[in-house]
Amino acid sequence: MTTSSRVATFFGNVGDWISDRLEPVGAVARKRPVKIPLIIVGVLLVYALPIVNPPLITTPNSDFPNVLFTVTVYAIVAVGLNIVTGYAGLLDLGYVGFYATGAYVVGLLTAYHAAWPFLLVLPVAMLVTLVTGVLLGAPTLRVRGDYLAIVTMGFGELIRITIRNTEWLGGTAGIKAIPSPQSIGAPDGLFQIPHLHWEGLNPLIDLDRSTKFLVFGVLDATPYFWLALTALIIVILIERLVKNSRVGRMWEATREDEDAAEIMGVPTFKFKLLAFASGAFIGGLAGALFAAKSGYINPISFPANLSILFVAAVVIGGSGNRWGAIIGAVIVAYLPERFRELEDWRLLFFGAALVIIVSFRPQGLFPAYNSRRARRAARQAARDAREEAPVV
């Protein structure tokens, strides 16, 4: 065994050891009387993050609510891409194309060619992105593996280049003055929530800074974060229902062995197309939220390397595990902002960390439950074999 293989095995065993130690805690937390209160408390804490500004979590060199909004949008993207890559096993390197499509539908219909309200444009953007996913997936999902990755990567670039060369879509100048979502109770909102300010470990109420509830302005990103977080929760609930249904099992069968699934009667192309369209639908939602928050979009907002970053989030967190994908999104979106003081070196550290994780923990930090169960069974079988081996 080579040195790199030993290191990889070591990191894999460490990760599995941690997973095994946490499994009893997870079993208790999964019990319904404990699970529901924990979920409610956890969700409320996440909603309160931009108000509380926890000293160790906040980003001192970046606007914390704005960072939280970006992290949440990336988490929505990761959940959508995890359906395509993690559940159905389709490597999509052009996911930024769907993200851009959702954003541009919002820009075109709220500012450039019409003045529709955001809440009306949002479902339209998601439906247009879904149709785009079907149109892309129908001819391309007949190829597999690297060929599919190349085709999807080309799609991402095709969207960006088409926008850049089409004046009807805003061209290179982009679309500006995209209106925010409609505020409720503007200009002061339904009520105002003061932020906390920390002096050491002592929390103080900052009377100079407060958030106007459900007022979407330029200076405060907190309402945008709450909107994106609400969308993420809804996406997770729907995705969970689909994953636990017959559709989820068909995706899993297709991912594990497409030929065997086809022989067993699974219409693999139909379910691959469904996964592709579902992922595109969610990507359009993320793009629409991004456009409404930023107020300005252009082709440079959607570079090809953004697709790679999205895939990295899913792979790092654990492909096939929705919570792993979300944690991966938090890592790729939050850590560079948290350590912005290392501005000249952060991309180097970030890239090195990605290489180490992918090299020594290829199944991701939090792999899918089936993967963990299989590895645990393999280790148990190896221990049983050693115990039963005759002593010479």
Coordinates of all heavy atoms in Angstrom, one line a residue, residues 199-281:
E199 N -19.6 43.1 23.4 CA -18.3 43.6 23.9 C -17.7 42.5 24.7 O -18.1 42.2 25.8 CB -18.5 44.8 24.8 CG -18.9 46.1 24.1 CD -19.0 47.3 25.0 OE1 -18.7 47.1 26.2 OE2 -19.3 48.4 24.5
G200 N -16.7 41.8 24.1 CA -16.2 40.6 24.6 C -17.3 39.5 24.5 O -17.8 39.2 23.4
L201 N -17.7 38.9 25.7 CA -18.8 38.0 25.7 C -20.1 38.5 26.2 O -21.0 37.8 26.5 CB -18.4 36.7 26.5 CG -17.2 35.9 26.0 CD1 -16.8 34.8 26.9 CD2 -17.5 35.4 24.6
N202 N -20.1 39.9 26.4 CA -21.3 40.5 26.9 C -22.2 41.1 25.8 O -21.7 42.0 25.0 CB -20.9 41.7 27.9 CG -20.1 41.2 29.0 OD1 -20.4 40.1 29.6 ND2 -19.1 41.9 29.4
P203 N -23.4 40.6 25.6 CA -24.3 41.1 24.5 C -24.9 42.4 24.9 O -25.4 42.5 26.1 CB -25.3 40.0 24.4 CG -25.4 39.3 25.7 CD -24.0 39.4 26.3
L204 N -24.9 43.4 24.1 CA -25.6 44.7 24.3 C -26.5 44.9 23.1 O -26.2 44.6 22.0 CB -24.5 45.8 24.4 CG -23.5 45.6 25.5 CD1 -22.4 46.7 25.4 CD2 -24.1 45.7 26.9
I205 N -27.6 45.6 23.4 CA -28.6 46.0 22.3 C -28.0 47.2 21.6 O -27.8 48.2 22.2 CB -30.0 46.2 22.9 CG1 -30.5 45.0 23.5 CG2 -30.9 46.8 21.8 CD1 -31.9 45.2 24.2
D206 N -27.9 47.0 20.3 CA -27.4 48.1 19.4 C -28.6 48.9 19.0 O -29.3 48.6 18.0 CB -26.6 47.5 18.3 CG -25.9 48.6 17.4 OD1 -26.2 49.8 17.7 OD2 -25.1 48.3 16.6
L207 N -28.8 50.1 19.6 CA -30.0 50.9 19.3 C -29.8 51.6 18.0 O -30.8 52.2 17.4 CB -30.3 51.9 20.4 CG -30.6 51.3 21.8 CD1 -30.8 52.4 22.8 CD2 -31.9 50.5 21.7
D208 N -28.6 51.7 17.5 CA -28.4 52.4 16.2 C -28.6 51.5 15.0 O -28.6 52.0 13.9 CB -26.9 52.9 16.2 CG -26.7 54.0 17.2 OD1 -27.7 54.7 17.6 OD2 -25.6 54.1 17.7
R209 N -28.8 50.2 15.2 CA -29.0 49.3 14.1 C -30.2 48.4 14.4 O -30.2 47.7 15.4 CB -27.7 48.5 13.9 CG -27.8 47.7 12.6 CD -26.6 46.9 12.4 NE -26.7 46.1 11.1 CZ -25.8 45.2 10.7 NH1 -24.7 44.9 11.5 NH2 -25.9 44.6 9.6
S210 N -31.1 48.4 13.5 CA -32.3 47.5 13.6 C -32.8 47.1 12.3 O -32.5 47.8 11.3 CB -33.4 48.2 14.4 OG -33.8 49.4 13.7
T211 N -33.5 46.0 12.2 CA -34.0 45.5 11.0 C -35.5 45.7 10.9 O -36.2 45.4 11.9 CB -33.7 44.0 10.9 OG1 -32.3 43.8 10.7 CG2 -34.4 43.3 9.7
K212 N -35.9 46.3 9.8 CA -37.3 46.5 9.6 C -37.9 45.2 9.0 O -37.5 44.8 7.9 CB -37.6 47.7 8.6 CG -37.0 49.0 9.2 CD -37.1 50.1 8.2 CE -36.5 51.4 8.7 NZ -36.5 52.5 7.7
F213 N -38.8 44.6 9.8 CA -39.4 43.3 9.4 C -40.1 43.4 8.0 O -41.0 44.2 7.8 CB -40.3 42.8 10.5 CG -40.8 41.4 10.3 CD1 -39.9 40.4 10.4 CD2 -42.1 41.2 10.0 CE1 -40.3 39.1 10.3 CE2 -42.5 39.9 9.8 CZ -41.6 38.8 9.9
L214 N -39.7 42.6 7.1 CA -40.3 42.4 5.8 C -40.2 43.7 4.9 O -41.0 44.0 4.1 CB -41.7 41.9 5.9 CG -41.9 40.5 6.4 CD1 -43.4 40.1 6.4 CD2 -41.1 39.5 5.6
V215 N -39.1 44.5 5.2 CA -38.8 45.6 4.3 C -37.5 45.3 3.6 O -36.5 45.2 4.2 CB -38.7 46.9 5.1 CG1 -38.2 48.1 4.2 CG2 -40.0 47.3 5.8
F216 N -37.6 45.2 2.3 CA -36.5 44.8 1.5 C -35.8 46.1 0.9 O -36.3 46.6 -0.1 CB -36.9 43.9 0.3 CG -37.5 42.6 0.8 CD1 -38.9 42.5 1.0 CD2 -36.7 41.5 1.1 CE1 -39.4 41.3 1.5 CE2 -37.2 40.3 1.5 CZ -38.6 40.2 1.7
G217 N -34.8 46.5 1.6 CA -34.0 47.7 1.2 C -32.6 47.3 0.7 O -32.3 46.2 0.5
V218 N -31.9 48.4 0.5 CA -30.5 48.2 -0.1 C -29.5 48.0 1.1 O -28.5 47.3 0.9 CB -30.1 49.5 -0.9 CG1 -28.7 49.3 -1.4 CG2 -31.1 49.7 -2.0
L219 N -29.7 48.6 2.2 CA -28.7 48.6 3.3 C -28.7 47.4 4.2 O -27.7 47.1 4.8 CB -28.9 49.9 4.1 CG -28.7 51.2 3.3 CD1 -28.9 52.4 4.2 CD2 -27.4 51.3 2.6
D220 N -29.9 46.8 4.3 CA -30.0 45.7 5.2 C -30.4 44.4 4.5 O -31.4 44.3 3.9 CB -31.1 46.0 6.3 CG -31.1 45.0 7.4 OD1 -30.3 44.1 7.4 OD2 -31.9 45.1 8.3
A221 N -29.5 43.4 4.5 CA -29.7 42.1 3.8 C -30.5 41.1 4.7 O -30.7 40.0 4.2 CB -28.4 41.5 3.3
T222 N -30.8 41.5 5.9 CA -31.4 40.5 6.8 C -32.8 40.0 6.2 O -33.0 38.8 6.2 CB -31.6 41.1 8.2 OG1 -30.3 41.5 8.7 CG2 -32.2 40.1 9.1
P223 N -33.7 40.9 5.7 CA -34.9 40.3 5.2 C -34.7 39.4 4.0 O -35.5 38.4 3.8 CB -35.7 41.6 4.8 CG -35.2 42.7 5.7 CD -33.7 42.3 5.8
Y224 N -33.7 39.7 3.2 CA -33.4 38.8 2.1 C -32.9 37.4 2.6 O -33.3 36.4 2.0 CB -32.3 39.4 1.2 CG -32.7 40.7 0.5 CD1 -32.4 41.9 1.0 CD2 -33.4 40.6 -0.7 CE1 -32.7 43.1 0.3 CE2 -33.8 41.8 -1.4 CZ -33.4 43.0 -0.9 OH -33.8 44.2 -1.5
F225 N -32.1 37.5 3.6 CA -31.7 36.2 4.2 C -32.9 35.4 4.7 O -33.0 34.2 4.5 CB -30.7 36.5 5.4 CG -30.5 35.3 6.3 CD1 -29.9 34.1 5.8 CD2 -30.9 35.3 7.6 CE1 -29.7 33.0 6.6 CE2 -30.6 34.2 8.4 CZ -30.1 33.1 7.9
W226 N -33.8 36.1 5.4 CA -35.0 35.4 5.9 C -35.8 34.8 4.8 O -36.3 33.7 4.9 CB -35.9 36.3 6.8 CG -35.2 36.6 8.1 CD1 -34.3 35.9 8.8 CD2 -35.5 37.8 8.9 NE1 -34.0 36.5 9.9 CE2 -34.7 37.7 10.1 CE3 -36.3 38.9 8.8 CZ2 -34.7 38.6 11.1 CZ3 -36.3 39.8 9.8 CH2 -35.5 39.7 10.9
L227 N -36.0 35.6 3.7 CA -36.7 35.1 2.5 C -36.0 33.9 1.9 O -36.7 32.8 1.6 CB -36.8 36.2 1.5 CG -37.5 35.8 0.1 CD1 -38.9 35.5 0.4 CD2 -37.3 37.0 -0.9
A228 N -34.7 33.9 1.7 CA -34.0 32.8 1.2 C -34.0 31.6 2.1 O -34.2 30.4 1.6 CB -32.5 33.2 0.9
L229 N -33.9 31.8 3.4 CA -34.0 30.7 4.3 C -35.3 30.0 4.3 O -35.4 28.8 4.4 CB -33.6 31.2 5.7 CG -33.6 30.1 6.8 CD1 -32.5 29.1 6.5 CD2 -33.3 30.8 8.2
T230 N -36.4 30.8 4.2 CA -37.7 30.2 4.1 C -37.9 29.4 2.8 O -38.4 28.3 2.8 CB -38.8 31.4 4.1 OG1 -38.6 32.2 5.3 CG2 -40.2 30.8 4.1
A231 N -37.3 29.9 1.7 CA -37.3 29.1 0.5 C -36.6 27.9 0.6 O -37.0 26.8 0.1 CB -36.8 30.0 -0.7
L232 N -35.4 27.9 1.3 CA -34.6 26.7 1.5 C -35.4 25.7 2.3 O -35.3 24.5 2.0 CB -33.3 27.1 2.2 CG -32.4 25.9 2.6 CD1 -31.9 25.1 1.4 CD2 -31.2 26.4 3.4
I233 N -36.0 26.1 3.4 CA -36.8 25.1 4.2 C -37.9 24.5 3.4 O -38.1 23.3 3.4 CB -37.4 25.9 5.4 CG1 -36.2 26.3 6.3 CG2 -38.4 25.0 6.2 CD1 -36.7 27.2 7.5
I234 N -38.6 25.3 2.6 CA -39.7 24.7 1.7 C -39.1 23.7 0.7 O -39.6 22.6 0.5 CB -40.4 25.8 1.0 CG1 -41.2 26.7 2.0 CG2 -41.4 25.2 0.0 CD1 -41.8 27.9 1.4
V235 N -37.9 24.1 0.1 CA -37.3 23.2 -0.8 C -36.9 21.8 -0.1 O -37.1 20.8 -0.7 CB -36.0 23.8 -1.5 CG1 -35.2 22.8 -2.2 CG2 -36.5 24.9 -2.4
I236 N -36.3 21.9 1.1 CA -35.9 20.7 1.8 C -37.1 19.8 2.1 O -37.0 18.6 1.9 CB -35.2 21.1 3.1 CG1 -33.8 21.7 2.8 CG2 -35.0 19.9 4.0 CD1 -33.1 22.3 4.0
L237 N -38.2 20.4 2.5 CA -39.4 19.6 2.8 C -39.9 18.9 1.6 O -40.2 17.7 1.6 CB -40.5 20.5 3.4 CG -40.2 21.1 4.8 CD1 -41.3 22.1 5.2 CD2 -40.1 20.0 5.8
I238 N -40.0 19.6 0.5 CA -40.5 19.0 -0.8 C -39.5 17.9 -1.3 O -39.9 16.8 -1.7 CB -40.7 20.0 -1.8 CG1 -41.9 21.0 -1.4 CG2 -41.1 19.4 -3.2 CD1 -42.1 22.1 -2.3
E239 N -38.2 18.3 -1.2 CA -37.2 17.3 -1.7 C -37.2 16.1 -0.9 O -37.0 15.0 -1.4 CB -35.8 18.0 -1.6 CG -34.7 17.2 -2.2 CD -33.9 16.5 -1.1 OE1 -34.3 16.6 0.1 OE2 -32.9 15.8 -1.4
R240 N -37.4 16.2 0.5 CA -37.4 15.0 1.3 C -38.6 14.1 1.0 O -38.4 12.9 1.0 CB -37.5 15.5 2.8 CG -37.4 14.4 3.8 CD -37.4 15.0 5.2 NE -37.2 14.0 6.2 CZ -38.2 13.3 6.8 NH1 -39.5 13.6 6.4 NH2 -38.0 12.4 7.7
L241 N -39.8 14.7 0.7 CA -40.9 13.9 0.3 C -40.6 13.1 -1.0 O -40.9 11.9 -1.1 CB -42.1 14.8 0.1 CG -42.7 15.4 1.4 CD1 -43.9 16.3 1.1 CD2 -43.2 14.3 2.4
V242 N -40.0 13.8 -1.9 CA -39.7 13.2 -3.2 C -38.7 12.1 -3.0 O -38.8 11.0 -3.6 CB -39.3 14.2 -4.3 CG1 -38.8 13.5 -5.5 CG2 -40.4 15.2 -4.5
K243 N -37.6 12.4 -2.2 CA -36.6 11.4 -2.0 C -37.1 10.1 -1.4 O -36.6 9.0 -1.7 CB -35.5 12.0 -1.2 CG -34.4 11.1 -0.7 CD -33.5 10.6 -1.9 CE -32.3 9.8 -1.5 NZ -32.6 8.7 -0.6
N244 N -38.0 10.2 -0.4 CA -38.5 9.1 0.3 C -39.6 8.4 -0.5 O -40.2 7.4 0.0 CB -39.0 9.5 1.6 CG -37.9 10.0 2.5 OD1 -36.8 9.6 2.4 ND2 -38.2 10.8 3.5
S245 N -40.0 8.9 -1.7 CA -41.0 8.2 -2.5 C -40.5 7.2 -3.5 O -39.2 7.0 -3.5 CB -41.8 9.3 -3.2 OG -41.0 9.9 -4.2
R246 N -41.3 6.7 -4.3 CA -40.9 5.8 -5.3 C -39.9 6.4 -6.3 O -38.9 5.8 -6.7 CB -42.1 5.3 -6.1 CG -41.8 4.4 -7.3 CD -43.1 3.9 -7.9 NE -42.9 3.2 -9.2 CZ -42.9 3.8 -10.3 NH1 -43.1 5.1 -10.4 NH2 -42.7 3.1 -11.4
V247 N -40.1 7.7 -6.5 CA -39.1 8.4 -7.4 C -37.7 8.4 -6.9 O -36.7 8.2 -7.6 CB -39.6 9.9 -7.6 CG1 -38.6 10.7 -8.4 CG2 -41.0 9.9 -8.3
G248 N -37.6 8.6 -5.5 CA -36.2 8.6 -4.9 C -35.6 7.2 -5.1 O -34.4 7.1 -5.3
R249 N -36.4 6.2 -4.9 CA -35.8 4.8 -5.1 C -35.4 4.6 -6.5 O -34.4 3.9 -6.8 CB -36.8 3.8 -4.6 CG -37.1 3.8 -3.1 CD -37.9 2.7 -2.6 NE -39.3 2.7 -3.1 CZ -40.2 3.4 -2.5 NH1 -40.0 4.0 -1.4 NH2 -41.5 3.4 -2.9
M250 N -36.2 5.1 -7.5 CA -35.8 4.9 -8.9 C -34.5 5.7 -9.2 O -33.6 5.2 -9.9 CB -36.9 5.4 -9.8 CG -38.2 4.7 -9.7 SD -38.1 2.9 -10.1 CE -38.3 2.2 -8.5
W251 N -34.4 6.8 -8.6 CA -33.1 7.6 -8.8 C -31.9 6.8 -8.2 O -30.9 6.7 -8.9 CB -33.2 8.9 -8.1 CG -34.0 10.0 -8.8 CD1 -34.3 9.9 -10.1 CD2 -34.6 11.2 -8.3 NE1 -35.1 11.0 -10.4 CE2 -35.3 11.8 -9.3 CE3 -34.6 11.7 -7.0 CZ2 -36.0 13.0 -9.1 CZ3 -35.3 12.9 -6.8 CH2 -36.0 13.5 -7.9
E252 N -32.1 6.2 -7.1 CA -31.0 5.5 -6.4 C -30.7 4.3 -7.3 O -29.5 4.0 -7.5 CB -31.4 5.1 -5.0 CG -30.3 4.5 -4.2 CD -30.7 4.3 -2.8 OE1 -31.8 4.8 -2.4 OE2 -30.0 3.6 -2.1
A253 N -31.7 3.6 -7.8 CA -31.4 2.4 -8.6 C -30.6 2.8 -9.9 O -29.7 2.1 -10.3 CB -32.7 1.7 -9.0
T254 N -31.0 3.9 -10.5 CA -30.4 4.4 -11.7 C -28.9 4.8 -11.4 O -28.0 4.5 -12.2 CB -31.1 5.6 -12.3 OG1 -32.5 5.2 -12.5 CG2 -30.5 6.0 -13.6
R255 N -28.7 5.4 -10.3 CA -27.3 5.8 -9.9 C -26.4 4.6 -9.7 O -25.3 4.6 -10.1 CB -27.4 6.7 -8.7 CG -26.0 7.2 -8.2 CD -26.1 7.7 -6.8 NE -26.5 6.7 -5.9 CZ -27.0 6.9 -4.6 NH1 -27.2 8.1 -4.2 NH2 -27.3 5.9 -3.8
E256 N -26.9 3.6 -9.0 CA -26.1 2.5 -8.6 C -25.7 1.6 -9.8 O -24.6 1.2 -10.0 CB -26.8 1.6 -7.6 CG -27.0 2.3 -6.2 CD -25.7 2.7 -5.6 OE1 -24.7 2.0 -5.7 OE2 -25.7 3.8 -5.0
D257 N -26.7 1.3 -10.7 CA -26.4 0.5 -11.9 C -27.5 0.8 -12.9 O -28.6 0.2 -12.8 CB -26.3 -1.0 -11.5 CG -25.7 -1.8 -12.7 OD1 -25.9 -1.4 -13.8 OD2 -24.9 -2.8 -12.4
E258 N -27.2 1.6 -13.8 CA -28.3 2.0 -14.8 C -28.7 0.9 -15.6 O -29.9 0.7 -15.9 CB -27.8 3.2 -15.7 CG -28.8 3.7 -16.6 CD -28.4 5.0 -17.3 OE1 -27.3 5.6 -16.9 OE2 -29.0 5.3 -18.3
D259 N -27.8 0.0 -16.1 CA -28.1 -1.1 -16.9 C -29.0 -2.1 -16.2 O -30.0 -2.6 -16.7 CB -26.9 -1.8 -17.5 CG -26.1 -0.9 -18.4 OD1 -26.7 -0.1 -19.1 OD2 -24.8 -1.0 -18.4
A260 N -28.6 -2.4 -14.9 CA -29.4 -3.3 -14.1 C -30.8 -2.8 -13.9 O -31.8 -3.5 -13.9 CB -28.7 -3.6 -12.8
A261 N -30.8 -1.5 -13.6 CA -32.1 -0.9 -13.3 C -33.0 -0.9 -14.6 O -34.2 -1.2 -14.5 CB -31.9 0.6 -12.9
E262 N -32.4 -0.7 -15.7 CA -33.2 -0.8 -17.0 C -33.7 -2.2 -17.2 O -34.9 -2.4 -17.6 CB -32.3 -0.4 -18.2 CG -33.0 -0.2 -19.5 CD -33.6 1.2 -19.5 OE1 -33.1 2.2 -19.1 OE2 -34.8 1.2 -20.1
I263 N -32.9 -3.2 -16.9 CA -33.3 -4.6 -17.1 C -34.5 -4.9 -16.1 O -35.4 -5.7 -16.4 CB -32.1 -5.6 -16.8 CG1 -31.1 -5.4 -17.9 CG2 -32.6 -7.0 -16.7 CD1 -29.8 -6.1 -17.7
M264 N -34.4 -4.3 -14.9 CA -35.5 -4.6 -13.9 C -36.8 -3.8 -14.2 O -37.7 -3.9 -13.4 CB -35.0 -4.2 -12.5 CG -33.8 -5.1 -12.0 SD -34.2 -6.9 -12.0 CE -35.4 -6.9 -10.7
G265 N -36.8 -3.0 -15.3 CA -38.0 -2.4 -15.7 C -38.1 -0.9 -15.3 O -39.1 -0.3 -15.4
V266 N -37.0 -0.4 -14.8 CA -37.0 1.1 -14.4 C -36.8 1.9 -15.7 O -35.8 1.7 -16.4 CB -35.9 1.4 -13.4 CG1 -35.9 2.9 -13.1 CG2 -36.1 0.6 -12.1
P267 N -37.7 2.8 -16.0 CA -37.5 3.7 -17.1 C -36.4 4.8 -16.8 O -36.8 5.9 -16.4 CB -38.9 4.3 -17.4 CG -39.6 4.2 -16.1 CD -39.0 3.1 -15.3
T268 N -35.2 4.4 -16.9 CA -34.1 5.2 -16.4 C -34.1 6.6 -17.0 O -33.8 7.6 -16.3 CB -32.8 4.5 -16.6 OG1 -32.6 4.2 -17.9 CG2 -32.7 3.3 -15.7
F269 N -34.3 6.7 -18.3 CA -34.2 8.0 -19.0 C -35.3 8.9 -18.4 O -35.0 10.1 -18.2 CB -34.4 7.8 -20.5 CG -34.4 9.1 -21.2 CD1 -33.3 9.8 -21.5 CD2 -35.6 9.7 -21.6 CE1 -33.3 11.0 -22.2 CE2 -35.7 10.9 -22.3 CZ -34.5 11.5 -22.6
K270 N -36.5 8.4 -18.2 CA -37.6 9.2 -17.7 C -37.2 9.8 -16.3 O -37.4 11.0 -16.0 CB -38.8 8.4 -17.6 CG -40.0 9.0 -16.8 CD -41.1 8.0 -16.7 CE -42.2 8.5 -15.7 NZ -43.3 7.5 -15.5
F271 N -36.6 9.0 -15.4 CA -36.3 9.4 -14.1 C -35.0 10.3 -14.1 O -34.9 11.2 -13.2 CB -36.1 8.2 -13.2 CG -37.4 7.6 -12.7 CD1 -37.9 6.5 -13.3 CD2 -38.2 8.3 -11.7 CE1 -39.2 6.0 -13.0 CE2 -39.4 7.7 -11.4 CZ -39.9 6.6 -12.0
K272 N -34.1 10.1 -15.0 CA -33.0 11.0 -15.1 C -33.4 12.3 -15.6 O -33.0 13.4 -15.1 CB -31.9 10.4 -16.1 CG -31.1 9.2 -15.6 CD -29.9 8.9 -16.4 CE -30.2 8.6 -17.8 NZ -29.0 8.3 -18.6
L273 N -34.4 12.4 -16.5 CA -34.9 13.6 -17.0 C -35.6 14.4 -15.9 O -35.6 15.6 -15.7 CB -35.8 13.4 -18.2 CG -36.3 14.6 -18.9 CD1 -35.1 15.4 -19.5 CD2 -37.2 14.3 -20.1
L274 N -36.4 13.6 -15.1 CA -37.1 14.2 -13.9 C -36.1 14.8 -12.9 O -36.3 15.9 -12.4 CB -37.9 13.1 -13.2 CG -38.7 13.6 -12.0 CD1 -39.7 14.7 -12.4 CD2 -39.5 12.4 -11.4
A275 N -35.0 14.1 -12.7 CA -34.0 14.6 -11.8 C -33.4 15.9 -12.3 O -33.2 16.9 -11.6 CB -32.9 13.6 -11.5
F276 N -33.1 15.9 -13.6 CA -32.5 17.0 -14.2 C -33.4 18.2 -14.2 O -33.0 19.4 -13.9 CB -32.2 16.7 -15.7 CG -30.9 17.3 -16.2 CD1 -29.7 16.9 -15.8 CD2 -31.0 18.3 -17.2 CE1 -28.5 17.5 -16.3 CE2 -29.9 18.9 -17.7 CZ -28.6 18.5 -17.2
A277 N -34.7 18.0 -14.5 CA -35.7 19.1 -14.4 C -35.9 19.6 -13.0 O -36.0 20.8 -12.8 CB -37.0 18.6 -15.0
S278 N -35.9 18.7 -12.0 CA -36.1 19.1 -10.7 C -34.9 20.0 -10.2 O -35.1 21.0 -9.5 CB -36.2 17.9 -9.7 OG -37.3 17.1 -10.1
G279 N -33.7 19.5 -10.5 CA -32.5 20.3 -10.2 C -32.5 21.7 -10.9 O -32.2 22.7 -10.2
A280 N -32.9 21.7 -12.1 CA -33.0 23.0 -12.8 C -34.1 23.9 -12.2 O -33.9 25.2 -12.0 CB -33.4 22.8 -14.3
F281 N -35.2 23.4 -11.8 CA -36.3 24.1 -11.1 C -35.7 24.8 -9.9 O -36.0 26.0 -9.6 CB -37.4 23.1 -10.8 CG -38.6 23.7 -10.3 CD1 -39.5 24.4 -11.1 CD2 -39.0 23.6 -8.9 CE1 -40.7 25.0 -10.6 CE2 -40.1 24.2 -8.4 CZ -41.0 24.8 -9.3

